[in-house]
Amino acid sequence: MKVACLFGSTYLCESAFSDMNFIKNKHRTCLTDAYLEDSVRVAVSSYTPDYSALVNSMQCQASH
């Protein structure tokens, strides 16, 4: 797996590798490169979803 560290500080880079090591230890049995890449991306992201908007955009479906 290729990792590009284009962080503004050493702290952010070390934090990303710490997150990656935690993910690798927690999910070692089912880990693929794609899964690791996605998990690290989510772990280091500062994105916070707008849950209210997501809930309001969902359409209720009645049971059959």
Side-chain angles (χ1 to χ4, degrees):
M1 178 173 116
K2 295 180 182 179
V3 177
C5 275
L6 301 175
F7 299 107
S9 73
T10 305
Y11 167 77
L12 293 175
C13 188
E14 289 178 3
S15 177
F17 279 109
S18 177
D19 289 335
M20 181 179 68
N21 287 331
F22 175 77
I23 292 166
K24 286 176 75 173
N25 286 333
K26 186 176 178 185
H27 302 289
R28 186 173 297 277
T29 58
C30 60
L31 196 64
T32 64
D33 286 343
Y35 179 78
L36 177 61
E37 182 180 343
D38 293 342
S39 297
V40 170
R41 186 171 297 185
V42 168
V44 300
S45 173
S46 62
Y47 174 74
T48 305
D50 183 3
Y51 293 110
S52 297
L54 290 171
V55 169
N56 292 334
S57 69
M58 301 292 278
Q59 181 181 9
C60 293
Q61 295 182 2
S63 179
H64 296 287

